Coordinates of all heavy atoms in Angstrom, one line a residue:
M1 N 110.1 39.2 74.5 CA 109.5 40.2 73.7 C 108.1 40.5 74.4 O 107.4 39.6 74.8 CB 109.2 39.8 72.3 CG 108.3 40.7 71.5 SD 108.0 40.2 69.8 CE 109.4 40.9 69.0
N2 N 107.8 41.8 74.5 CA 106.5 42.2 75.0 C 105.4 42.0 74.0 O 105.5 42.5 72.9 CB 106.5 43.6 75.5 CG 107.4 43.8 76.7 OD1 107.5 43.0 77.5 ND2 108.0 45.0 76.7
E3 N 104.4 41.3 74.3 CA 103.3 41.1 73.4 C 101.9 41.2 74.1 O 101.8 40.8 75.3 CB 103.3 39.7 72.8 CG 104.5 39.5 71.8 CD 104.5 38.1 71.2 OE1 103.9 37.2 71.8 OE2 105.1 38.0 70.1
I4 N 101.0 41.8 73.4 CA 99.6 41.7 73.8 C 98.9 40.8 72.8 O 99.4 40.5 71.8 CB 98.9 43.1 73.9 CG1 99.0 43.8 72.6 CG2 99.5 43.9 75.0 CD1 98.2 45.2 72.6
V5 N 97.7 40.4 73.2 CA 96.9 39.5 72.2 C 95.7 40.3 71.8 O 94.9 40.7 72.6 CB 96.5 38.2 72.9 CG1 95.6 37.4 72.0 CG2 97.7 37.4 73.4
V6 N 95.7 40.6 70.5 CA 94.6 41.4 69.9 C 93.8 40.5 69.0 O 94.3 40.0 68.0 CB 95.2 42.6 69.1 CG1 94.0 43.4 68.5 CG2 96.0 43.5 70.0
D7 N 92.5 40.3 69.4 CA 91.6 39.5 68.6 C 92.2 38.1 68.3 O 92.1 37.6 67.2 CB 91.2 40.2 67.3 CG 90.6 41.6 67.5 OD1 89.9 41.7 68.5 OD2 90.8 42.5 66.7
G8 N 92.9 37.6 69.3 CA 93.5 36.3 69.2 C 94.9 36.2 68.6 O 95.4 35.1 68.5
R9 N 95.4 37.3 68.2 CA 96.7 37.3 67.6 C 97.7 38.1 68.4 O 97.4 39.2 68.8 CB 96.6 37.8 66.1 CG 95.6 37.1 65.3 CD 95.5 37.6 63.9 NE 96.7 37.3 63.1 CZ 96.9 37.6 61.9 NH1 95.9 38.3 61.2 NH2 98.0 37.2 61.3
A10 N 98.9 37.6 68.5 CA 100.0 38.3 69.2 C 100.4 39.6 68.5 O 100.5 39.6 67.3 CB 101.2 37.4 69.4
L11 N 100.6 40.6 69.3 CA 101.0 41.9 68.8 C 102.1 42.5 69.7 O 101.9 42.7 70.9 CB 99.8 42.9 68.7 CG 100.1 44.3 68.2 CD1 100.2 44.2 66.7 CD2 99.1 45.3 68.6
P12 N 103.3 42.7 69.1 CA 104.4 43.2 69.9 C 104.2 44.6 70.3 O 103.5 45.4 69.6 CB 105.6 43.0 69.0 CG 105.1 43.0 67.6 CD 103.7 42.5 67.7
F13 N 104.7 45.0 71.4 CA 104.7 46.4 71.8 C 106.0 46.8 72.5 O 106.7 45.9 73.0 CB 103.5 46.8 72.7 CG 103.5 46.2 74.1 CD1 104.0 46.9 75.1 CD2 103.1 44.9 74.3 CE1 104.1 46.4 76.4 CE2 103.1 44.3 75.6 CZ 103.7 45.1 76.6
V14 N 106.2 48.1 72.6 CA 107.4 48.6 73.3 C 106.9 49.0 74.7 O 105.9 49.7 74.8 CB 108.0 49.8 72.6 CG1 109.2 50.4 73.3 CG2 108.5 49.3 71.2
A15 N 107.7 48.8 75.7 CA 107.3 49.2 77.1 C 107.0 50.7 77.1 O 107.7 51.5 76.5 CB 108.5 48.9 78.1
G16 N 105.9 51.0 77.7 CA 105.5 52.4 77.8 C 104.5 52.8 76.7 O 103.9 53.8 76.8
Q17 N 104.2 51.9 75.8 CA 103.3 52.2 74.7 C 101.8 51.9 75.2 O 101.6 51.0 76.0 CB 103.5 51.3 73.5 CG 104.4 51.8 72.4 CD 104.4 51.0 71.2 OE1 104.3 49.7 71.3 NE2 104.6 51.6 70.1
T18 N 100.9 52.7 74.8 CA 99.5 52.4 75.0 C 99.1 51.3 74.0 O 99.7 51.1 73.0 CB 98.6 53.7 74.8 OG1 98.7 54.1 73.5 CG2 99.1 54.8 75.8
V19 N 97.9 50.8 74.3 CA 97.3 49.8 73.4 C 97.1 50.5 72.0 O 97.4 49.9 71.0 CB 96.0 49.3 73.9 CG1 95.2 48.5 72.9 CG2 96.2 48.5 75.2
A20 N 96.6 51.7 72.0 CA 96.5 52.4 70.7 C 97.8 52.6 70.0 O 97.8 52.4 68.7 CB 95.8 53.8 70.9
A21 N 98.8 52.9 70.7 CA 100.1 53.1 70.0 C 100.6 51.8 69.4 O 101.2 51.8 68.3 CB 101.1 53.7 71.0
A22 N 100.4 50.7 70.1 CA 100.8 49.4 69.6 C 100.0 49.1 68.4 O 100.6 48.5 67.4 CB 100.6 48.3 70.7
L23 N 98.7 49.4 68.4 CA 97.9 49.1 67.2 C 98.4 49.9 66.0 O 98.5 49.4 64.9 CB 96.4 49.3 67.5 CG 95.7 48.3 68.4 CD1 94.4 48.8 68.9 CD2 95.5 47.0 67.6
V24 N 98.6 51.2 66.2 CA 99.0 52.1 65.1 C 100.4 51.7 64.6 O 100.6 51.6 63.4 CB 99.0 53.5 65.6 CG1 99.6 54.4 64.6 CG2 97.5 54.0 65.9
A25 N 101.3 51.3 65.5 CA 102.6 50.9 65.1 C 102.6 49.6 64.3 O 103.4 49.4 63.4 CB 103.5 50.6 66.4
A26 N 101.5 48.8 64.5 CA 101.3 47.6 63.7 C 100.6 47.9 62.4 O 100.2 47.0 61.6 CB 100.6 46.5 64.5
G27 N 100.2 49.1 62.1 CA 99.6 49.5 60.9 C 98.0 49.6 60.9 O 97.4 49.8 59.9
R28 N 97.5 49.4 62.1 CA 96.0 49.5 62.3 C 95.6 51.0 62.5 O 96.1 51.6 63.5 CB 95.5 48.7 63.5 CG 95.9 47.2 63.4 CD 94.8 46.3 63.0 NE 93.4 46.5 63.4 CZ 92.8 45.8 64.2 NH1 93.3 44.7 64.8 NH2 91.5 46.0 64.5
V29 N 94.9 51.5 61.6 CA 94.4 52.9 61.8 C 93.0 53.0 62.3 O 92.5 54.1 62.7 CB 94.6 53.8 60.5 CG1 96.1 53.9 60.2 CG2 93.9 53.2 59.4
A30 N 92.2 51.9 62.1 CA 90.8 51.9 62.6 C 90.6 50.5 63.1 O 91.1 49.5 62.6 CB 89.9 52.2 61.5
W31 N 89.8 50.4 64.2 CA 89.5 49.1 64.8 C 88.1 48.9 65.3 O 87.8 47.9 66.0 CB 90.5 48.7 65.8 CG 90.8 49.7 66.9 CD1 90.0 50.0 68.0 CD2 91.9 50.6 66.9 NE1 90.6 51.0 68.7 CE2 91.8 51.4 68.0 CE3 93.0 50.9 66.0 CZ2 92.7 52.4 68.4 CZ3 93.9 51.8 66.4 CH2 93.7 52.6 67.5
R32 N 87.2 49.9 65.1 CA 85.8 49.7 65.4 C 85.0 50.6 64.5 O 85.6 51.4 63.7 CB 85.6 50.1 66.9 CG 85.6 51.6 67.1 CD 85.2 51.8 68.6 NE 85.0 53.3 68.8 CZ 83.8 53.9 68.6 NH1 82.7 53.2 68.2 NH2 83.7 55.2 68.8
T33 N 83.7 50.5 64.5 CA 82.8 51.3 63.8 C 81.8 52.0 64.7 O 81.5 51.4 65.8 CB 82.1 50.6 62.6 OG1 81.4 49.5 63.2 CG2 83.1 50.0 61.6
T34 N 81.3 53.1 64.2 CA 80.3 53.8 65.0 C 78.9 53.0 64.9 O 78.7 52.3 63.9 CB 80.1 55.2 64.5 OG1 79.7 55.2 63.2 CG2 81.4 56.0 64.7
R35 N 78.1 53.2 65.9 CA 76.8 52.6 65.9 C 75.9 53.2 64.7 O 75.3 52.5 64.0 CB 76.0 52.9 67.2 CG 76.3 51.9 68.3 CD 75.4 52.2 69.4 NE 76.2 52.5 70.6 CZ 75.7 52.5 71.8 NH1 74.4 52.3 72.0 NH2 76.5 52.8 72.8
V36 N 76.0 54.5 64.6 CA 75.2 55.2 63.6 C 76.2 55.4 62.4 O 77.2 56.0 62.5 CB 74.7 56.5 64.1 CG1 73.9 57.2 62.9 CG2 73.8 56.3 65.3
G37 N 75.8 54.9 61.3 CA 76.6 55.1 60.0 C 77.7 54.1 59.8 O 78.4 54.1 58.8
R38 N 78.0 53.3 60.8 CA 79.1 52.3 60.7 C 80.4 52.9 60.2 O 81.1 52.4 59.3 CB 78.7 51.1 59.8 CG 77.3 50.6 60.1 CD 77.1 50.2 61.5 NE 77.9 49.0 61.9 CZ 77.9 48.5 63.1 NH1 77.3 49.1 64.1 NH2 78.6 47.4 63.4
R39 N 80.8 54.1 60.7 CA 82.0 54.7 60.3 C 83.2 54.2 61.1 O 83.1 54.0 62.3 CB 81.9 56.3 60.5 CG 80.8 56.9 59.7 CD 80.8 58.4 59.8 NE 79.7 59.0 59.0 CZ 78.6 59.4 59.5 NH1 78.3 59.3 60.8 NH2 77.6 59.9 58.8
S40 N 84.3 54.1 60.4 CA 85.5 53.5 61.0 C 86.1 54.5 62.0 O 86.1 55.7 61.8 CB 86.6 53.2 59.9 OG 86.1 52.2 59.0
R41 N 86.6 53.9 63.1 CA 87.2 54.8 64.1 C 88.5 54.1 64.7 O 88.6 52.9 64.7 CB 86.3 55.0 65.3 CG 85.1 55.8 65.0 CD 85.5 57.3 64.7 NE 84.4 58.2 64.5 CZ 83.9 58.5 63.4 NH1 84.4 58.0 62.3 NH2 82.9 59.4 63.3
G42 N 89.5 54.9 65.0 CA 90.7 54.5 65.7 C 91.1 55.5 66.6 O 90.3 56.0 67.5
V43 N 92.3 56.0 66.5 CA 92.8 57.2 67.3 C 92.4 58.5 66.7 O 92.6 58.7 65.5 CB 94.3 57.1 67.5 CG1 94.8 58.4 68.2 CG2 94.7 55.9 68.3
F44 N 91.8 59.3 67.4 CA 91.5 60.7 66.9 C 92.2 61.7 67.8 O 93.2 62.3 67.4 CB 90.0 61.0 66.9 CG 89.7 62.3 66.3 CD1 89.9 62.6 65.0 CD2 89.1 63.3 67.1 CE1 89.6 63.9 64.5 CE2 88.8 64.5 66.7 CZ 89.1 64.8 65.3
C45 N 91.8 61.8 69.1 CA 92.4 62.8 69.9 C 93.7 62.3 70.6 O 94.7 63.1 70.8 CB 91.5 63.3 71.0 SG 91.2 62.0 72.3
G46 N 93.8 61.0 70.9 CA 94.9 60.4 71.5 C 95.2 60.8 73.0 O 96.2 60.5 73.6
I47 N 94.2 61.5 73.6 CA 94.3 62.0 75.0 C 93.1 61.6 75.8 O 92.9 62.2 76.9 CB 94.6 63.5 75.0 CG1 93.5 64.3 74.4 CG2 96.0 63.8 74.5 CD1 93.6 65.8 74.6
G48 N 92.3 60.7 75.4 CA 91.2 60.2 76.2 C 89.9 61.1 76.2 O 89.1 60.9 77.1
V49 N 89.8 61.9 75.3 CA 88.6 62.8 75.2 C 87.5 62.3 74.3 O 86.3 62.4 74.6 CB 89.1 64.2 74.8 CG1 87.9 65.2 74.7 CG2 90.0 64.8 75.9
C50 N 87.9 61.8 73.1 CA 86.9 61.6 72.1 C 86.2 60.2 72.2 O 85.1 60.0 71.6 CB 87.5 61.8 70.7 SG 88.6 60.4 70.2
F51 N 86.8 59.2 72.8 CA 86.2 57.9 72.9 C 86.2 57.2 71.6 O 85.5 56.2 71.4 CB 84.9 57.9 73.6 CG 84.9 58.1 75.1 CD1 85.2 59.4 75.6 CD2 84.7 57.1 76.0 CE1 85.2 59.6 76.9 CE2 84.7 57.3 77.3 CZ 85.0 58.6 77.8
D52 N 86.9 57.6 70.6 CA 86.9 57.0 69.3 C 87.7 55.6 69.3 O 87.4 54.8 68.5 CB 87.5 57.8 68.2 CG 86.5 58.8 67.5 OD1 85.3 58.8 67.9 OD2 86.9 59.5 66.6
C53 N 88.6 55.5 70.2 CA 89.5 54.4 70.2 C 89.1 53.2 71.1 O 89.9 52.3 71.4 CB 90.9 54.9 70.7 SG 90.8 55.5 72.4
L54 N 87.8 53.1 71.4 CA 87.3 52.1 72.4 C 87.7 50.6 72.0 O 87.6 50.2 70.8 CB 85.8 52.1 72.5 CG 85.3 53.4 73.2 CD1 83.8 53.4 73.2 CD2 85.8 53.6 74.6
V55 N 88.1 49.9 73.0 CA 88.4 48.5 72.8 C 87.9 47.8 74.1 O 87.6 48.4 75.1 CB 89.9 48.2 72.6 CG1 90.4 48.7 71.3 CG2 90.7 48.7 73.8
A56 N 87.9 46.5 74.1 CA 87.7 45.7 75.3 C 89.1 45.2 75.8 O 89.9 44.8 75.0 CB 86.8 44.5 75.1
V57 N 89.4 45.3 77.1 CA 90.7 44.9 77.6 C 90.4 43.9 78.7 O 89.7 44.2 79.7 CB 91.5 46.1 78.2 CG1 92.8 45.6 78.8 CG2 91.8 47.1 77.1
D58 N 91.0 42.7 78.5 CA 90.8 41.6 79.5 C 89.3 41.4 79.8 O 89.0 41.2 81.0 CB 91.7 41.9 80.7 CG 93.2 41.8 80.4 OD1 93.5 41.1 79.5 OD2 93.9 42.4 81.1
G59 N 88.5 41.5 78.8 CA 87.1 41.2 79.0 C 86.3 42.4 79.5 O 85.1 42.3 79.6
S60 N 86.9 43.5 79.7 CA 86.2 44.7 80.2 C 86.1 45.7 79.0 O 87.1 46.2 78.5 CB 87.0 45.4 81.3 OG 86.3 46.5 81.8
G61 N 84.8 45.9 78.6 CA 84.6 46.8 77.4 C 84.7 48.2 77.7 O 84.9 48.7 78.8
R62 N 84.7 49.0 76.6 CA 84.7 50.5 76.7 C 85.9 51.0 77.3 O 85.8 52.0 78.1 CB 83.4 51.0 77.3 CG 82.2 50.7 76.5 CD 80.9 51.3 77.1 NE 81.0 52.8 77.2 CZ 80.9 53.7 76.3 NH1 80.7 53.3 75.0 NH2 81.0 55.0 76.5
Q63 N 87.1 50.5 77.0 CA 88.3 51.1 77.5 C 88.9 51.9 76.4 O 88.9 51.5 75.2 CB 89.3 49.9 77.8 CG 88.8 48.9 78.9 CD 88.6 49.6 80.2 OE1 89.5 50.2 80.8 NE2 87.4 49.5 80.8
R64 N 89.4 53.1 76.7 CA 90.0 53.9 75.7 C 91.5 53.4 75.5 O 92.3 53.5 76.4 CB 90.0 55.4 76.2 CG 88.6 56.0 76.1 CD 88.5 57.2 76.9 NE 88.5 57.0 78.3 CZ 88.4 57.9 79.3 NH1 88.4 59.2 79.0 NH2 88.4 57.5 80.5
A65 N 91.7 52.9 74.3 CA 93.0 52.4 73.9 C 94.1 53.3 74.1 O 95.3 53.0 74.3 CB 92.9 51.8 72.5
C66 N 93.8 54.6 73.9 CA 94.9 55.6 74.0 C 95.3 55.9 75.4 O 96.3 56.6 75.6 CB 94.5 56.9 73.3 SG 93.1 57.8 74.1
L67 N 94.6 55.4 76.4 CA 94.9 55.7 77.8 C 95.4 54.4 78.5 O 96.0 54.5 79.6 CB 93.7 56.2 78.6 CG 93.2 57.5 78.1 CD1 92.0 57.9 79.1 CD2 94.2 58.6 78.2
V68 N 95.2 53.2 77.9 CA 95.6 52.0 78.6 C 97.0 51.6 78.2 O 97.3 51.4 77.0 CB 94.6 50.9 78.2 CG1 95.0 49.6 78.9 CG2 93.2 51.3 78.7
L69 N 97.9 51.5 79.1 CA 99.2 51.0 78.8 C 99.2 49.5 78.5 O 98.6 48.7 79.3 CB 100.2 51.3 80.0 CG 100.6 52.7 80.2 CD1 101.5 52.8 81.5 CD2 101.3 53.3 79.0
A70 N 99.9 49.1 77.5 CA 100.0 47.7 77.1 C 100.8 47.0 78.2 O 101.8 47.5 78.7 CB 100.6 47.6 75.7
R71 N 100.3 45.8 78.5 CA 101.0 44.9 79.5 C 101.2 43.5 78.9 O 100.2 43.1 78.2 CB 100.3 44.8 80.8 CG 100.1 46.1 81.6 CD 99.4 45.8 82.9 NE 98.3 44.8 82.8 CZ 97.0 45.1 82.5 NH1 96.7 46.4 82.3 NH2 96.1 44.2 82.4
P72 N 102.3 42.9 79.1 CA 102.4 41.5 78.5 C 101.3 40.6 78.9 O 100.8 40.6 80.0 CB 103.7 41.0 79.2 CG 104.5 42.3 79.5 CD 103.4 43.3 79.9
G73 N 100.7 40.0 77.9 CA 99.7 39.0 78.1 C 98.3 39.6 78.1 O 97.3 38.9 78.1
M74 N 98.2 40.9 78.0 CA 96.9 41.6 78.0 C 96.1 41.1 76.8 O 96.7 41.0 75.7 CB 97.1 43.1 78.0 CG 95.9 43.9 77.7 SD 96.4 45.7 77.5 CE 96.5 46.2 79.2
T75 N 94.8 40.9 77.0 CA 94.0 40.5 75.8 C 93.1 41.7 75.4 O 92.5 42.4 76.3 CB 93.1 39.3 76.1 OG1 92.2 39.6 77.2 CG2 93.9 38.1 76.4
V76 N 93.1 42.0 74.2 CA 92.4 43.2 73.6 C 91.4 42.7 72.5 O 91.8 41.9 71.7 CB 93.4 44.2 73.0 CG1 92.6 45.4 72.4 CG2 94.3 44.8 74.1
T77 N 90.2 43.2 72.6 CA 89.2 42.8 71.6 C 88.8 44.1 70.9 O 88.4 45.1 71.6 CB 88.0 42.1 72.2 OG1 88.5 41.0 72.9 CG2 87.0 41.7 71.1
T78 N 88.9 44.1 69.6 CA 88.5 45.3 68.8 C 87.1 45.0 68.2 O 86.5 43.9 68.4 CB 89.5 45.6 67.7 OG1 89.5 44.6 66.8 CG2 90.9 45.8 68.3
G79 N 86.6 45.9 67.5 CA 85.3 45.8 66.9 C 84.3 46.6 67.6 O 84.6 47.7 68.2
D80 N 83.0 46.2 67.6 CA 82.0 47.0 68.2 C 81.9 46.8 69.7 O 81.4 45.9 70.2 CB 80.6 46.6 67.6 CG 80.6 47.0 66.1 OD1 81.4 47.9 65.7 OD2 79.8 46.3 65.4
V81 N 82.6 47.8 70.4 CA 82.6 47.8 71.8 C 81.8 48.9 72.3 O 82.3 50.0 72.6 CB 84.1 47.9 72.3 CG1 84.2 47.8 73.8 CG2 85.0 46.8 71.7
H82 N 80.5 48.7 72.4 CA 79.6 49.8 72.8 C 79.2 49.7 74.3 O 78.8 50.7 74.9 CB 78.4 49.8 71.9 CG 78.7 50.1 70.5 ND1 79.3 51.2 70.0 CD2 78.5 49.3 69.4 CE1 79.5 51.1 68.7 NE2 79.0 49.9 68.3
E83 N 79.2 48.6 74.8 CA 78.7 48.4 76.2 C 79.8 47.9 77.1 O 80.7 47.3 76.7 CB 77.5 47.5 76.3 CG 76.4 47.8 75.3 CD 75.9 49.3 75.5 OE1 75.9 49.8 76.7 OE2 75.4 49.8 74.6
Ligands
FES1 S1 91.7 58.6 70.8 FE1 90.3 59.9 71.7 S2 89.8 58.9 73.6 FE2 91.3 57.7 72.6

């Protein structure tokens, strides 16, 4: 089974899915908050334009989850990924 690790927990994905698609398929609609106003954010545009879907991937922050293809063993950190 294909799995990524999100915040320390295994999350299955289908080959060809982005990280955002895997998160949404698992029922996550928001995974970070804005700096100003602490508003919830997840996928908005889905095409890499809005930056609402930011996550850290394998320790590298500010990755757009809607553009990153999930790979087995990839580690994803959600939450406040501003830098
Ligand atoms: S949802 Fe807009 S950049 Fe990812």
Side-chain angles (χ1 to χ4, degrees):
M1 172 182 275
N2 290 327
E3 291 181 338
I4 58 177
V5 178
V6 179
D7 300 328
R9 303 179 74 176
L11 180 76
F13 69 93
V14 176
Q17 270 186 325
T18 63
V19 170
L23 286 166
V24 170
R28 302 256 326 246
V29 295
W31 48 83
R32 73 174 191 91
T33 58
T34 60
R35 276 189 238 193
V36 178
R38 313 306 288 175
R39 295 186 182 101
S40 296
R41 292 291 185 264
V43 173
F44 182 66
C45 72
I47 57 172
V49 175
C50 72
F51 287 73
D52 272 3
C53 63
L54 294 176
V55 294
V57 175
D58 293 332
S60 178
R62 295 186 54 80
Q63 303 293 307
R64 286 167 285 178
C66 69
L67 296 182
V68 177
L69 286 177
R71 297 184 318 275
M74 171 186 279
T75 61
V76 175
T77 304
T78 65
D80 295 336
V81 182
H82 298 300
E83 308 302 332

